[in-house]
């Protein structure tokens, strides 16, 4: 997009992209986000540079000179994917936030369906991408099936794939949730805890464009077992939220 693009003073949608050392994937993904959303919503793109040591920051700064709706947040040191997502959501100005991974495996063409599902559903707090045709190895797919099965049996969140980075949700509800490392993997269960419904959108996975994965996978079940127990406890301890009205004289 050229520098003639008007600045977005109050976006309705914020796209949050956590990245670490993804320099070669920056420009192509931003172009795809623009192709998917231009003319449909007033939106901003927030890249959270999670302590990159390559040219990620420089590539983003160069594109910011041409694209007024692109913002960059930088972590001095890597805090992990959950921390990066949280930083982006806190800085977001849109009432609806959509996320996707910065490696190019998540296709931005599915963003409109996710955003519309939240926008049109009065009680929908989260629209979650569910991957079909995954490009991971057979072993990783097996790990993911086992982990998702165990998680669903314990939390009963009704979600077959929590690891997909393509999501859209209401910013205010996300910020109400208790923060912990791995939060983004448990959004369906925590959204249901807050009384919201989940919409599901099938998305097609694709190979990453370049580089290697910089974030770990929850589908290695033993890494997330304590988080699973913690979220189960949070759900068990949740009390119904009272309906509050102000009584005036």
């Amino acid at each position: 997009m050229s520098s003639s693009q008007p600045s977005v003073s109050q976006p309705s949608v914020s796209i949050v992209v956590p990245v670490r050392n993804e320099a070669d994937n920056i420009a192509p993904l931003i172009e795809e986000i623009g192709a998917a959303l231009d003319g449909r919503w007033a939106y901003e793109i927030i890249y959270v540079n999670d302590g990159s040591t390559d040219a990620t920051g420089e590539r983003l700064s160069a594109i910011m000179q041409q694209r007024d709706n692109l913002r960059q947040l930088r972590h001095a040191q890597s805090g992990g994917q959950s921390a990066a997502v949280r930083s982006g959501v806190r800085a977001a100005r849109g009432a609806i936030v959509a996320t996707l991974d910065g490696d190019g495996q998540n296709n931005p063409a599915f963003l409109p369906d996710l955003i519309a599902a939240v926008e049109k559903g009065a009680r929908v707090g989260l629209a979650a991408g569910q991957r079909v045709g995954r490009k991971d190895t057979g072993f990783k797919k097996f790990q993911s099936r086992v982990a998702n099965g165990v998680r669903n049996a314990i939390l009963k969140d009704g979600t077959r794939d929590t690891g997909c980075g393509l999501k859209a949700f209401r910013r205010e509800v996300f910020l109400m949730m208790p923060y912990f490392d791995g939060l983004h993997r448990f959004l369906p269960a925590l959204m249901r805890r807050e009384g919201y419904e989940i919409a599901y959108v099938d998305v097609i996975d694709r190979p990453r464009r370049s580089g290697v994965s910089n974030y770990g996978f929850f589908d290695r079940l033993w890494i997330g077992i304590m988080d699973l127990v913690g979220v189960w406890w949070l759900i068990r301890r949740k009390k119904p939220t009272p309906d509050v009205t102000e009584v005036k004289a």
Side-chain angles (χ1 to χ4, degrees), residues 181-228:
D181 189 29
L183 167 64
H184 65 289
R185 305 281 181 176
F186 292 95
L187 280 180
L190 293 172
M191 280 286 178
R192 291 188 188 280
R193 177 180 181 267
E194 298 298 329
Y196 285 87
E197 298 174 1
I198 314 298
Y200 297 101
V201 176
D202 282 345
V203 301
I204 299 174
D205 202 24
R206 59 187 186 180
R208 81 163 23 244
R209 284 195 181 87
S210 70
V212 296
S213 176
N214 293 289
Y215 288 118
F217 291 92
F218 173 75
D219 38 10
R220 293 192 293 268
L221 178 60
W222 53 89
I223 293 177
I225 193 67
M226 292 304 294
D227 289 340
L228 185 62

Side-chain angles (χ1 to χ4, degrees), residues 99-142:
T99 65
L100 71 164
D101 294 340
D103 58 12
Q105 284 192 271
N106 296 155
N107 191 337
F110 294 102
L111 286 172
D113 290 339
L114 292 163
I115 295 166
V118 176
E119 196 173 52
K120 296 175 182 177
R123 293 302 302 168
V124 173
L126 167 71
Q130 303 286 275
R131 289 170 291 186
V132 296
R134 291 185 61 179
K135 304 303 179 183
D136 289 329
T137 65
F139 182 56
K140 285 183 178 178
K141 291 178 184 178
F142 171 74

